[in-house]
């Protein structure tokens, strides 16, 4: 008899994240499905004060709505010169109807004239796994770097055309995606996730 693979729903509407998470967890003995399977599912309101709170709320709410085991992620970019903003507000940084294009334009505007030495930043990611009513596990990762003075490259998504990871001279938009998959906040959070997953008891009530 063949054993059925455990399946996990990727609880994100961000296609950039879906692409990366699927790639980063490829070959892992778990079947991943995405939210496309649940067409009219409403967006979860993110009103927490931390990445952990938002990721937890997304995972628990979607688990309740779908009956699936759900992995959700909350992430953002933090810029030192802005008092580590926008952080948890990264997706909504440029206000109502925010897009990656507008968010990047606002970031460039806010940092206008700031020298390279003052443009430190970091990405952060928190991943939460939940089943109806219970968080099973959480993991996190971060990636240090700085903000470029103009948009460069088309790889990745979101703030990637502006983010130069520490130790490199090019943005994630320019670097081969293989490098992002090795050193990004999400890659680190998911490496920890994989290590912890073997200790998760999916069936404990
Ligand atoms: P879900 O809540 O449905 O997952 P979202 O895009 O709203 O999608 P978040 O609330 O976690 O997700 O917002 C994270 C934002 O931070 C995201 O929209 C990007 O603008 C930015 N971000 C996070 N990780 C990134 C990455 O690897 N590259 C570029 N930008 C990133």
């Amino acid at each position: 008899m063949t054993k059925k693979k455990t399946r996990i729903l990727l609880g994100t509407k961000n296609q950039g994240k879906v692409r990366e998470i699927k790639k980063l967890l490829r070959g892992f003995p778990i079947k991943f499905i995405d939210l496309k399977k649940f067409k009219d599912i409403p967006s979860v309101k993110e009103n927490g004060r931390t990445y952990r709170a938002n990721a937890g709320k997304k995972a628990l709410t979607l688990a309740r709505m779908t009956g699936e085991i759900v992995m959700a992620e909350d992430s953002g970019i933090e810029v030192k010169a802005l008092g580590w903003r926008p952080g948890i507000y990264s997706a909504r940084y440029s206000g109502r109807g925010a897009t990656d294009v507008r968010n990047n334009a606002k970031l460039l505007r806010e940092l206008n004239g700031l020298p390279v030495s003052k443009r430190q930043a970091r990405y952060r990611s928190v991943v939460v796994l939940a089943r109806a009513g219970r968080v099973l596990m959480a993991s996190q990762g971060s990636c240090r770097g700085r903000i470029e003075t103009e948009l460069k490259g088309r790889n990745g998504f979101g703030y990637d055309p502006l983010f130069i990871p520490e130790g490199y001279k090019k943005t994630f938009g320019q670097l081969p995606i293989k490098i992002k998959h090795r050193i990004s906040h999400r890659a680190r959070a998911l490496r920890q996730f994989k290590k912890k997953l073997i200790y998760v008891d999916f069936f404990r009530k």
Side-chain angles (χ1 to χ4, degrees), residues 5 12 15 32 81 87 89 102 119 122 143 153 195-197 203:
K5 274 189 189 173
T12 173
Q15 288 312 305
F32 290 98
Y89 303 106
R102 286 193 209 171
R119 299 175 80 94
R122 63 189 177 218
C143 177
K195 280 190 195 148
K196 287 183 169 181
L197 199 66
F203 304 103

Side-chain angles (χ1 to χ4, degrees), residues 11-14 17 20 46 58 73-77 90-91 100 103 123 157-160 180 185-186:
T12 173
K13 291 196 166 183
N14 182 322
K17 285 190 192 178
E20 291 192 3
E46 295 180 36
K58 287 189 267 193
E73 192 238 31
D74 203 60
S75 49
I77 194 163
S90 295
D100 290 347
N103 287 340
Y123 272 133
F157 66 96
Y159 296 92
D160 285 343
K180 183 175 184 192
H185 50 315
R186 190 164 295 106

Side-chain angles (χ1 to χ4, degrees), residues 94-136:
S94 56
R96 200 185 273 271
T99 59
D100 290 347
V101 171
R102 286 193 209 171
N103 287 340
N104 283 325
K106 180 170 178 188
L107 185 54
L108 283 176
R109 239 180 5 255
E110 285 213 286
L111 299 183
N112 191 21
L114 213 63
V116 168
S117 61
K118 298 226 164 86
R119 299 175 80 94
Q120 295 100 319
R122 63 189 177 218
Y123 272 133
R124 292 188 50 203
S125 161
V126 174
V127 174
V128 168
L129 186 73
R131 210 188 56 173
R134 195 157 70 89
V135 166
L136 299 169

Side-chain angles (χ1 to χ4, degrees), residues 16 19-20 100 154-158 160-161 172-173 175 177 180:
R19 250 192 340 266
E20 291 192 3
D100 290 347
R154 302 171 69 92
N155 293 339
F157 66 96
D160 285 343
F172 270 152
L175 290 166
I177 195 72
K180 183 175 184 192

Side-chain angles (χ1 to χ4, degrees), residues 20 23-24 177-184 187 191:
E20 291 192 3
K23 180 81 203 335
L24 288 163
I177 195 72
K178 259 172 43 189
I179 293 181
K180 183 175 184 192
H181 286 335
R182 203 161 61 223
I183 64 171
S184 81
R191 271 203 290 275

